[in-house]
Amino acid sequence: MVSSPHEAMHRVFQDHPGLFTRVGPALGVDFPPYTSFDVMPTDLTETQPLERRVDTLLRFDTERDGPFLLAVEAQGKKDPGKTASWAYYLSYLHSKHRLPPVLLVVCQDRATAEWASRPFRIGPAPWASLTLHPLVAGPHNLPAITDPAEAAEDLALAVLAAVTHAKEPDVGAILKALSVALRDVPEDVADPLAELTAQGLGKLPAADLWRTLMAVDLSFYKSPISQEIRAEGKAEGEARALLVVLQARGFQLPAATEQKVSECRDSRTLNQWLSRAATADTLDEIFRED
């Protein structure tokens, strides 16, 4: 079954195709600026009753090097059978469109990214007829954007950073920077980006933090998720989100501290603790009295 994070990791490239050229430096590649692009059909099915679909497929035209195809695959875990499918995708695309294809695999954890980065060879070891070497984007090479000003400069990249770092300790600071950056953009721009972020976080602990940030930082925001969290009670939602973030960051909470958070109904205090929890190294830093 296709998961929400899976969809978000490749759909962001459909909504913001130019994001690929901005991700390039993190991958160690320098693709020429594009002059135009097209979102292409993802169906790679042949006449046989076997359906094959790449997650996202884009065509870019460049002034210097001509056109090329970009196939984006979201990969949530290691899958030994997937590499053969990727090799098929690239061979099929090259044969059908007569254009050079590039494969970009987007991952949410370092182990999967390391696995996906390994060359996949078809043929006897000394004479491989085909070698697959995809580009891989994930928490190991994409920037952790924790500065709201930097997030505002490239909101699509900030969303991708949030989704790919969803399991990392610094995800709280990344989400906070993104929510602050989204305050200053029109609602029709913020809406899909905020929803895409929520989709990418799936059921991970960071998703609760994002729900709260949307209700607190994006008070104008009228998405189903933000309306739901506000209906549940702003302070109560903030308290739950804070406990989730503390747990995700590995803090061991004394029973008294957990009770203190759960029973707190002062949104200002909870939001202050929540902001500190994203980057603090100790509980004393989070709960200090100003």
Side-chain angles (χ1 to χ4, degrees):
M1 180 180 295
V2 175
S3 65
S4 294
H6 176 279
E7 288 298 287
M9 284 191 286
H10 72 87
R11 281 296 301 271
V12 65
F13 288 90
Q14 290 187 24
D15 296 342
H16 303 271
L19 177 61
F20 175 58
T21 58
R22 304 194 296 278
V23 169
L27 311 180
V29 295
D30 180 22
F31 284 97
Y34 64 90
T35 56
S36 64
F37 65 84
D38 293 299
V39 179
M40 302 185 67
T42 60
D43 190 351
L44 308 184
T45 307
E46 295 187 282
T47 55
Q48 297 91 339
L50 177 63
E51 183 176 328
R52 297 179 185 268
R53 289 183 183 272
V54 66
D55 288 335
T56 286
L57 182 61
L58 304 168
R59 171 185 165 136
F60 288 90
D61 289 296
T62 69
E63 185 174 342
R64 187 185 73 194
D65 297 332
F68 69 93
L69 299 176
L70 174 66
V72 184
E73 283 281 289
Q75 193 65 29
K77 62 181 180 180
K78 300 177 184 179
D79 181 357
K82 196 64 177 182
T83 47
S85 296
W86 290 339
Y88 171 87
Y89 295 166
L90 295 183
S91 298
Y92 177 90
L93 290 171
H94 184 266
S95 176
K96 178 178 180 179
H97 298 285
R98 299 298 179 183
L99 293 174
V102 177
L103 174 63
L104 172 63
V105 181
V106 184
C107 305
Q108 265 185 320
D109 65 88
R110 296 170 186 268
T112 303
E114 180 184 0
W115 163 80
S117 299
R118 298 170 186 168
F120 174 66
R121 297 177 176 86
I122 297 177
W127 306 286
S129 301
L130 178 65
T131 300
L132 174 71
H133 196 172
L135 297 171
V136 178
H140 65 298
N141 58 6
L142 289 182
I145 302 176
T146 58
D147 180 3
E150 184 180 355
E153 291 177 0
D154 194 334
L155 290 170
L157 184 59
V159 169
L160 186 63
V163 171
T164 54
H165 286 79
K167 301 176 183 179
E168 298 290 303
D170 54 4
V171 66
I174 296 172
L175 292 175
K176 181 64 176 178
L178 177 58
S179 68
V180 172
L182 288 175
R183 291 176 185 170
D184 300 324
V185 300
E187 189 171 346
D188 61 340
V189 176
D191 282 10
L193 290 170
E195 289 292 347
L196 193 59
T197 303
Q199 186 180 28
L201 298 175
K203 297 181 179 180
L204 293 171
D208 284 337
L209 172 58
W210 183 241
R211 285 159 57 89
T212 298
L213 289 173
M214 283 199 295
V216 175
D217 288 342
L218 306 182
S219 58
F220 68 90
Y221 192 54
K222 301 300 189 292
S223 77
I225 293 176
S226 62
Q227 289 177 334
E228 178 184 343
I229 188 68
R230 283 195 285 271
E232 291 173 354
K234 183 177 178 181
E236 184 180 351
E238 289 170 339
R240 286 201 307 271
L242 175 57
L243 292 174
V244 169
V245 172
L246 292 172
Q247 180 182 10
R249 295 206 59 210
F251 287 111
Q252 298 296 322
L253 260 66
T257 302
E258 184 172 351
Q259 182 177 1
K260 176 182 178 180
V261 172
S262 299
E263 295 179 353
C264 181
R265 289 298 177 265
D266 180 27
S267 290
R268 181 177 179 182
T269 299
L270 286 166
N271 193 35
Q272 185 179 56
W273 289 343
L274 190 59
S275 297
R276 293 172 181 171
T279 57
D281 295 322
T282 67
L283 289 175
D284 288 341
E285 292 180 53
I286 298 171
F287 297 106
R288 71 178 185 269
E289 297 290 341
D290 291 333

